[in-house]
Amino acid sequence: MQTPALPPQGATVRARRWRHLRRAVALPLAALALSGCTIPSFYASEGATSSSKSVYHLWQWFSIGAVIIGGFVCILVAYAVLRYRRKGDHIPRQSQYQLPLELAYTIVPILIVFGLFAATLVVENKETANPATKVTINVNAFQWGWKFTYPGTNAFVYGQTTQNPEMIMPAGENVHFNLTSSDVIHGFYVHDFNFSRYALPGVRNEFTILAQNEGTYFGQCTQLCGLYHSLMYFRVKVVSQSQYAAWIASFNNPADEAAAKAAAKTTYQQTSSVVPTHGSTTKFGR
Amino acid sequence: MTDVLDPPVQLPPPPPSHEMLEEHGHDEHHGPTGILKWITTTDHKIIGLSYTVTSVIMMIIGGAFAEIIRAQLASPNGTLVSLSQYNELFTMHGSVMIYLFVGPFAFGGLANIMVPIQIGAPDMAYPRLNALSYWLYLTGAITMLSGFFTAGGAANFGWVAYAPLSNSVNTPGSGADLWIGGLLLTGFSAIFTGVNICATVFYLRAPGMTMFRMPIFTWNMLVTGILILLAFPVLTAGLIMLYCDRHFGTHIFSVQGGGVPVLWQHIFWFWGHPEVYILALPFFGMATEIIAVFSRKPVFGYKGMVFATLTIAALSLGVWAHHMFTTGVVLLPFFSIMSLLIAVPTGIKIFNWIGTMWRGEIWFSTAMLMAIGFLITFLIGGLTGIYLASPPLDFFTHDTYFVVAHFHSVVMALLMAAMGGLYYWGPKITGYLLNERIGKMQFWFLFIGTQIFTFPLYVLGLEGMPRRVAIYPHDPQWKTLNDWSTFGAILIGISTILFVVNVAVSWKKYPSGDNPWDAQTLEWFTTSPPPHHNFYRLPQIRSERPTWDHNHPEHRSLTHGKHPELTEDGLEKVHSS
């Protein structure tokens, strides 16, 4: 804006003001409608799966509602606090009821709530759907580590605490998960999936994830599970379908098969006796 | 007195018959004195004061745990405490704050003192049961905390004690048993107090004090009492089951014996969610009273407020599984819509508070500042709670610091209301005011500290930091946000120290008189502190503001914009049916 703009010709001040106002309101709204990218992220991220993206957009819309409602209430409070400071020993009008107003701030929130609920249902039904899939991964959580097995193949991944067992899954394909726990309740949480689910003893929790972006993502147990809860890490590596097939095939020799069986056997015995590897700066135990 | 009260309030002289009645010998009780009096008393005011003091001590203990936790998290590889000590600390921080401070402070402390006086009753309905409540509470608190002195340390399975982590295999120590025992004792004390409050409100109201003339605080305490009676027995039963699982081999919550671990979560949260409102409703009531008094107006939308409270209580019994969305074994849409709907009555309350301030004459005493701080902080906690009612967003944020930040916004708001309650009702209980200048300093430390404390935690949760972790070595960039949060916690700690300093500095220094705030409800009609059976005489009770009506007969509430019909002597006409 180096040179001042010429005043618009043939328009009254009022019309000009209206035009400015219209531009100020309409432009952001149009931008919002055209692409989700221009909406602020509100500190969340899009994530790597199909449902993590819809969760992210749901998060944005909830946040917009929260900011508008919260801002409105804060402005009301600020106005009341600044405008109605006590100035003397004056007693104000003792009004107590204003029924139309009270009805308005009962009915409008009910409508907002049903709007939020409808948006929730759309995302939730998509996220909790369990379509038929070709790939299944069994996830078993235990104190304090993870075991990932691939039914119908010899592949498995096993690791404790900071060993960071790395679950391999294909991109662009629905993957069915069966989540179980061998001892206490654990939380299967991958931040970039915008998703978590409890691993419950005695229950098989099932869900389907469609990873879209290849990469390695950090996962961690989120439900308190005892002493080494802080260090119950794992990783998720999303690879292309051909890489995935090659990885599965690499397990097809007898030596690995024996190792898989041995690992499956020791899972339950080792849990209480293993001391995890960790950085030397950290002190453990009492 | 003038240096703490500005502007000074002009009030009519107290009713003349006070002194006359005092000479009458009504107050002569030749009972024990000193510590023996404290131990044997059944006076609700002394019991309530014991509750208040004990619970504030609990708050300081729980707050100290919190400061240690924040100090540990100030670096990614914190070595201040060990992993198991950290588990003990956050377990006991949550347990002390929830079980031993917020609830007992509200329904054992201020409600115990104020409810009988607000409805013109001489005492609680069952004074001895009331004394039993306090001693059970004190015993329970000592029992729970004594876990720290056992060989295995205190309970370390989180304040929710999820099975099967809380069974005898995974948590063998006696600290866990002391936790269960202490919680059983305080649970019974809560149940007895609930019985007492309900009976007192239903049977001991003064003549003229109809249900719809009760102050909002008493209304909220009645609803809290009903919720206690519905929810706490479930927790008590659950704790007994847990104890049997640990020691008598019952296998109620263990898979090996055919039990169901998730059953514990159902039982716990069926108590736990109403408990959220058992904690919150009393403080809603305190804030309502404070905002009305310091705006010099009646509570806006009084009846709407009562119905909002009842709606919250009713809905709160049907939302427990929103704590269990990620278990995958609950019906998501039902618990989602029920949880979302709680926002509606809560929103009504917030708008009613603003409506009460609107066109008022707001006096920014410490109590009022605390109430406004409560309103803003609770708004933040409430809005972030709406996210958690939506299952997809709950999957995303569950068990991360987002949840921690959400409920700390809520409980820190409650703490502000609690402090407001102490500044507001303290003069009625003791006869002395607290220093307003230190009080305002305390408020700003508490309010700003709370926001600096919680905001980084929201962001940390969204960046994926799980709760209940002692170290976060894989993501050291979380240190900056954690440091900000720790800084906020230090400010909150300073505000607590300022409160203790204020009590010491103001000790018997600023006599308050009977009604220093020109308040409205019945408790401000009697002396400060009130006599043994609370009242020498009562005013005419013709609205929910009998003291105000007595002091300002020409400024009665304009019910639906109209003045009530008056008789020739200036009293409201009573239509008897």
Side-chain angles (χ1 to χ4, degrees):
Chain A
M1 299 297 111
Q2 297 91 339
T3 52
L6 287 169
Q9 302 297 308
T12 64
V13 175
R14 203 175 189 175
R16 237 183 297 152
R17 206 177 278 158
W18 167 236
R19 201 177 296 156
H20 278 286
L21 192 70
R22 205 168 42 180
R23 201 178 301 159
V25 173
L27 273 181
L29 278 184
L32 281 183
L34 283 174
S35 67
C37 313
T38 51
I39 312 177
S41 70
F42 299 101
Y43 297 101
S45 52
E46 217 176 17
T49 69
S50 66
S51 55
S52 79
K53 283 168 189 150
S54 38
V55 169
Y56 172 65
H57 294 310
L58 185 66
W59 169 266
Q60 287 177 312
W61 288 111
F62 264 63
S63 298
I64 288 168
V67 167
I68 291 173
I69 295 168
F72 175 63
V73 172
C74 283
I75 288 169
L76 287 182
V77 172
Y79 181 81
V81 162
L82 296 173
R83 172 75 179 74
Y84 303 117
R85 302 178 70 89
R86 191 175 293 189
K87 284 156 198 119
D89 197 28
H90 165 71
I91 292 181
R93 201 178 134 82
Q94 301 291 299
S95 53
Q96 192 168 18
Y97 292 100
Q98 175 53 260
L99 202 57
L101 183 66
E102 289 174 65
L103 282 176
Y105 62 65
T106 309
I107 292 165
V108 172
I110 291 177
L111 297 178
I112 295 174
V113 156
F114 276 97
L116 295 176
F117 182 59
T120 294
L121 278 188
V122 171
V123 178
E124 178 190 303
N125 288 341
K126 198 174 144 197
E127 198 177 18
T128 53
N130 266 328
T133 62
K134 280 186 286 179
V135 181
T136 301
I137 304 178
N138 290 342
V139 181
N140 177 251
F142 55 90
Q143 281 176 322
W144 289 274
W146 303 88
K147 194 176 76 169
F148 305 98
T149 50
Y150 297 75
T153 74
N154 293 326
F156 76 97
V157 180
Y158 168 86
Q160 297 188 11
T161 59
T162 47
Q163 290 171 339
N164 278 318
E166 195 169 68
M167 179 178 92
I168 311 288
M169 66 182 284
E173 186 174 359
N174 277 319
V175 178
H176 186 88
F177 287 84
N178 295 316
L179 180 62
T180 55
S181 164
S182 315
D183 35 51
V184 301
I185 298 170
H186 300 276
F188 174 90
Y189 170 66
V190 183
H191 175 242
D192 288 287
F193 289 2
N194 288 350
F195 180 77
S196 72
R197 187 56 66 89
Y198 281 176
L200 294 164
V203 173
R204 192 176 66 188
N205 249 324
E206 301 186 31
F207 50 89
T208 305
I209 285 177
L210 173 65
Q212 291 177 326
N213 309 349
E214 291 178 27
T216 305
Y217 305 108
F218 186 80
Q220 186 168 6
C221 173
T222 47
Q223 177 59 38
L224 176 68
C225 56
L227 188 60
Y228 296 110
H229 163 63
S230 311
L231 292 169
M232 198 170 143
Y233 303 150
F234 64 98
R235 275 164 211 267
V236 177
K237 190 171 181 185
V238 178
V239 297
S240 70
Q241 293 181 15
S242 57
Q243 281 172 309
Y244 176 74
W247 180 77
I248 291 286
S250 73
F251 283 85
N252 285 335
N253 66 62
D256 276 345
E257 227 167 288
K261 274 184 190 145
K265 223 172 168 183
T266 49
T267 304
Y268 301 94
Q269 296 159 1
Q270 283 188 347
T271 49
S272 54
S273 59
V274 168
V275 177
T277 54
H278 53 77
S280 57
T281 50
T282 312
K283 193 172 76 187
F284 293 111
R286 289 180 66 79
Chain B
M1 176 173 158
T2 43
D3 57 283
V4 285
L5 280 187
D6 97 290
V9 177
Q10 301 297 318
L11 284 184
S17 48
H18 269 200
E19 296 77 16
M20 209 175 72
L21 280 161
E22 271 164 44
E23 283 163 22
H24 200 63
H26 184 80
D27 200 26
E28 280 172 31
H29 283 265
H30 301 287
T33 52
I35 192 156
L36 206 60
K37 182 184 174 193
W38 175 64
I39 290 172
T40 58
T41 188
T42 57
D43 183 352
H44 71 104
K45 294 183 290 295
I46 301 174
I47 295 170
L49 194 59
S50 305
Y51 253 117
T52 308
V53 172
T54 314
S55 58
V56 169
I57 292 170
M58 290 301 149
M59 178 197 81
I60 292 169
I61 294 173
F65 294 161
E67 301 293 339
I68 301 172
I69 290 170
R70 285 314 319 171
Q72 160 77 10
L73 293 174
S75 73
N77 285 303
T79 52
L80 183 67
V81 292
S82 70
L83 290 184
S84 72
Q85 283 168 338
Y86 186 82
N87 287 359
E88 287 170 39
L89 278 172
F90 70 69
T91 300
M92 294 311 279
H93 164 70
S95 302
V96 167
M97 289 302 197
I98 299 279
Y99 303 125
L100 304 181
F101 165 54
V102 187
F105 177 87
F107 52 72
L110 290 185
N112 207 343
I113 302 174
M114 286 307 154
V115 166
I117 314 183
Q118 282 199 326
I119 58 173
D123 202 319
M124 291 291 251
Y126 309 114
R128 290 186 188 182
L129 190 67
N130 198 17
L132 177 65
S133 286
Y134 173 70
W135 295 108
L136 282 175
Y137 160 63
L138 184 66
T139 319
I142 294 169
T143 307
M144 193 187 282
L145 284 168
S146 62
F148 278 108
F149 305 109
T150 62
N156 59 2
F157 37 53
W159 75 281
V160 296
Y162 273 7
L165 183 65
S166 53
N167 68 16
S168 55
V169 177
N170 292 303
T171 312
S174 51
D177 293 323
L178 290 167
W179 182 89
I180 294 171
L183 192 45
L184 272 172
L185 293 170
T186 54
F188 274 114
S189 109
I191 292 169
F192 295 155
T193 306
V195 168
N196 232 332
I197 290 173
C198 290
T200 308
V201 169
F202 284 137
Y203 290 106
L204 294 186
R205 277 172 287 126
M209 180 62 77
T210 61
M211 291 295 273
F212 275 112
R213 287 177 189 161
M214 296 196 310
I216 290 289
F217 178 71
T218 295
W219 256 114
N220 283 21
M221 287 319 304
L222 172 65
V223 177
T224 305
I226 294 169
L227 276 182
I228 289 175
L229 294 185
L230 289 170
F232 264 83
V234 179
L235 176 72
T236 307
L239 286 168
I240 292 170
M241 291 184 217
L242 183 62
Y243 193 85
C244 290
D245 256 19
R246 286 174 63 83
H247 294 287
F248 309 134
T250 48
H251 294 293
I252 296 165
F253 304 122
S254 75
V255 180
Q256 287 78 11
V260 184
V262 177
L263 178 63
W264 168 260
Q265 294 185 32
H266 279 295
I267 292 173
F268 185 86
W269 290 116
F270 185 81
W271 163 81
H273 204 84
E275 165 73 359
V276 172
Y277 294 97
I278 290 170
L279 301 182
L281 288 178
F283 297 101
F284 291 177
M286 282 177 212
T288 310
E289 306 268 308
I290 293 168
I291 288 174
V293 165
F294 292 97
S295 305
R296 277 201 148 174
K297 276 184 64 196
V299 175
F300 182 76
Y302 170 89
K303 285 183 182 164
M305 207 72 152
V306 172
F307 282 115
T309 306
L310 291 169
T311 313
I312 288 175
L315 286 172
S316 79
L317 289 161
V319 299
W320 75 91
H322 71 216
H323 299 268
M324 301 164 59
F325 282 154
T326 58
T327 56
V329 297
V330 295
L331 184 63
L332 302 176
F334 171 78
F335 288 105
S336 173
I337 187 66
M338 292 293 274
S339 311
L340 284 168
L341 277 174
I342 287 198
V344 176
T346 317
I348 292 175
K349 278 177 178 288
I350 287 181
F351 285 117
N352 280 348
W353 288 323
I354 297 172
T356 307
M357 290 195 280
W358 210 256
R359 296 196 180 140
E361 290 279 320
I362 302 173
W363 171 7
F364 291 100
S365 67
T366 305
M368 185 62 177
L369 286 175
M370 291 285 185
I372 295 170
F374 155 82
L375 177 50
I376 299 291
T377 315
F378 182 75
L379 173 72
I380 297 169
L383 285 172
T384 51
I386 293 175
Y387 293 95
L388 297 172
S390 168
L393 299 178
D394 182 76
F395 294 163
F396 164 30
T397 51
H398 187 81
D399 272 336
T400 69
Y401 261 93
F402 185 83
V403 175
V404 176
H406 153 68
F407 68 73
H408 276 90
S409 282
V410 173
V411 290
M412 290 308 293
L414 302 185
L415 179 64
M416 284 176 212
M419 285 297 163
L422 282 179
Y423 277 87
Y424 173 61
W425 277 319
K428 178 49 67 184
I429 300 166
T430 62
Y432 294 92
L433 294 156
L434 286 165
N435 186 306
E436 284 284 301
R437 186 173 296 166
I438 303 178
K440 283 172 188 172
M441 270 167 63
Q442 183 199 346
F443 166 75
W444 287 111
F445 271 100
L446 183 58
F447 183 72
I448 295 171
T450 297
Q451 313 314 334
I452 296 178
F453 163 64
T454 53
F455 187 75
L457 297 187
Y458 284 115
V459 180
L460 278 171
L462 296 173
E463 289 182 0
M465 180 162 168
R467 63 193 290 199
R468 294 168 178 154
V469 294
I471 48 175
Y472 44 100
H474 61 89
D475 234 340
Q477 78 269 22
W478 286 342
K479 178 177 162 50
T480 317
L481 286 168
N482 270 300
D483 283 351
W484 275 105
S485 183
T486 304
F487 174 62
I490 292 169
L491 296 185
I492 297 168
I494 292 172
S495 88
T496 310
I497 293 169
L498 282 173
F499 175 69
V500 177
V501 168
N502 198 354
V503 172
V505 166
S506 324
W507 191 258
K508 297 199 171 176
K509 206 166 165 189
Y510 313 110
S512 64
D514 291 347
N515 187 0
W517 319 119
D518 189 13
Q520 303 169 350
T521 42
L522 199 53
E523 74 269 28
W524 299 99
F525 191 79
T526 186
T527 54
S528 300
H532 184 72
H533 280 301
N534 297 345
F535 291 95
Y536 294 119
R537 64 191 281 273
L538 286 168
Q540 277 239 341
I541 301 169
R542 288 294 176 267
S543 76
E544 77 277 7
R545 307 193 295 165
T547 306
W548 176 273
D549 290 347
H550 181 268
N551 291 336
H552 306 281
E554 71 288 2
H555 288 107
R556 289 167 171 249
S557 303
L558 303 172
T559 315
H560 297 285
K562 280 181 288 193
H563 280 288
E565 264 183 279
L566 298 185
T567 57
E568 282 142 23
D569 47 352
L571 294 171
E572 190 180 337
K573 208 179 258 178
V574 185
H575 299 278
S576 53
S577 53

